[in-house]
């Protein structure tokens, strides 16, 4: 499993290629001698009402710069881009890094709103965020759920997408194909998605967080435990500042 800094360098290079017109190599890989992370958190976060959500997001760069929206996946969050955003901001781009619905400080405006995680509705969230921020067009970059979200926007709202950087993970999902089972070995790798979606899994995470983080039993698929660790890794909290669109 690629670590966060390795991913940051890859996405940073890809985003720079889309934004700056360069074509850097993306073959970089983490080494045992890689330096420590330079950044561990963003500055004060912002909040804005957008569609059915109050969206929490980090912003960097000049307000009048060309927009770049960086979309995280699950079980990750905006901190996947904590080293990438400053690089793009330094080149003059207005960088927006939102928490997707169900993550971080993003909240539903109404308790009555149906909780929906369909792939298209997350894309709608991003369109609503662009509207709230008065951004007509942006370069979209993402991985995992974020890449799928960016892909959907590029297909359904092409005029809102100036360029697309889609890294790893999901393309637009064929729901009918997803109904077909995978071989048992492949299915087993996704055990944690089912476990943590149950009340028992939620309680197990709360009560045994440390043990889950240190778990490396031979019966646990490497992919599953690696991704699960990321979902429960502690994050340095960022300050939150509420803003409204002007």
């Amino acid at each position: 499993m690629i670590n966060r800094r390795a991913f940051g360098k890859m996405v940073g290079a890809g985003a720079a290629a889309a934004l700056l017109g360069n074509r850097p190599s993306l073959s970089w890989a983490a080494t045992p001698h890689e330096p420590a992370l330079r950044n561990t958190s963003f500055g004060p976060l912002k909040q804005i009402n957008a569609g059915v959500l109050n969206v929490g997001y980090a912003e960097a760069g000049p307000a009048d710069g060309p927009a770049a929206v960086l979309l995280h996946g699950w079980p990750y969050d905006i901190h996947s881009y904590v080293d990438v955003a400053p690089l793009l901001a330094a080149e003059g781009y207005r960088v927006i890094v939102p928490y997707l619905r169900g993550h971080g400080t993003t909240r539903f405006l109404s308790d009555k709103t149906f909780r929906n995680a369909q792939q298209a509705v997350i894309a709608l969230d991003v369109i609503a965020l662009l509207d709230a921020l008065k951004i007509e067009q942006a370069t979209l970059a993402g991985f995992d759920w974020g890449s799928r979200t960016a892909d959907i926007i590029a297909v359904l709202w092409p005029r809102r997408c100036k360029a697309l950087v889609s890294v790893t993970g999901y393309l637009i999902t064929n729901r009918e194909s997803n109904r077909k089972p995978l071989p048992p070995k492949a299915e087993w790798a996704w055990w944690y998605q089912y476990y943590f979606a149950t009340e028992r899994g939620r309680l197990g995470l709360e009560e045994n967080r440390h043990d889950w983080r240190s778990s490396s039993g031979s019966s646990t698929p490497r992919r599953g435990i690696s991704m699960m660790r990321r979902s429960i890794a502690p994050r340095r909290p960022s300050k939150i500042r509420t803003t409204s669109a002007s």
Side-chain angles (χ1 to χ4, degrees):
M1 176 65 69
I2 189 170
N3 68 25
R4 188 171 59 142
R5 185 167 186 81
F7 169 77
K9 286 194 174 184
M10 290 177 65
V11 173
L19 292 166
L20 306 178
N22 297 323
R23 299 182 63 184
S25 170
L26 298 184
S27 61
W28 185 91
T31 71
H33 306 292
E34 66 174 289
L37 287 169
R38 291 176 298 173
N39 302 298
T40 57
S41 66
F42 291 97
L45 299 185
K46 300 180 179 181
Q47 301 287 138
I48 191 169
N49 290 345
V52 299
L53 302 174
N54 177 261
V55 179
Y57 66 101
E59 182 170 357
D64 59 349
V69 179
L70 310 182
L71 302 170
H72 66 80
W74 182 89
Y76 310 88
D77 66 13
I78 64 173
H79 293 86
S80 297
Y81 296 108
V82 74
D83 286 324
V84 177
L87 299 177
L88 298 177
E91 296 294 335
Y93 292 90
R94 181 187 182 187
V95 185
I96 306 295
V97 192
Y99 276 116
L100 301 185
R101 63 166 58 193
H103 295 75
T105 61
T106 292
R107 297 288 186 270
F108 285 90
L109 293 173
S110 172
D111 291 337
K112 297 180 180 179
T113 301
F114 180 70
R115 270 45 175 175
N116 186 347
Q118 291 181 357
Q119 54 185 330
V121 81
I122 301 176
L124 279 169
D125 291 341
V126 177
I127 292 296
L129 177 62
L130 294 178
D131 290 343
L133 294 173
K134 302 189 185 310
I135 295 174
E136 183 60 31
Q137 190 178 64
T139 293
L140 304 175
F143 70 98
D144 196 74
W145 286 22
S147 61
R148 182 177 63 186
T149 300
D151 294 342
I152 292 171
I153 294 172
V155 170
L156 298 182
W157 296 275
R159 294 184 180 180
R160 308 302 295 270
C161 181
K162 181 178 182 180
L164 174 66
V165 183
S166 183
V167 180
T168 74
Y170 306 92
L171 300 174
I172 298 175
T173 303
N174 185 323
R175 295 297 303 277
E176 287 302 315
S177 293
N178 267 12
R179 295 177 183 272
K180 299 177 181 179
L182 297 172
K185 186 176 181 180
E187 295 282 20
W188 176 238
W190 301 100
W191 67 270
Y192 64 97
Q193 291 196 358
Y194 299 96
Y195 178 70
F196 289 118
T198 67
E199 180 64 14
R200 177 173 176 170
R202 185 188 69 80
L203 291 173
L205 178 59
E206 286 186 358
E207 295 179 8
N208 305 298
R209 185 176 297 267
H210 175 77
D211 292 336
W212 277 115
R213 291 189 62 211
S214 61
S215 176
S216 58
S218 59
S219 63
T220 303
R222 183 174 301 176
R223 174 182 172 86
I225 197 67
S226 179
M227 293 186 71
M228 184 272 294
R229 280 174 175 166
R230 283 163 170 75
S231 72
I232 61 178
R235 296 290 189 188
R236 179 180 298 179
S238 300
K239 296 180 180 179
I240 301 174
R241 177 161 59 92
T242 301
T243 62
S244 59
S246 56

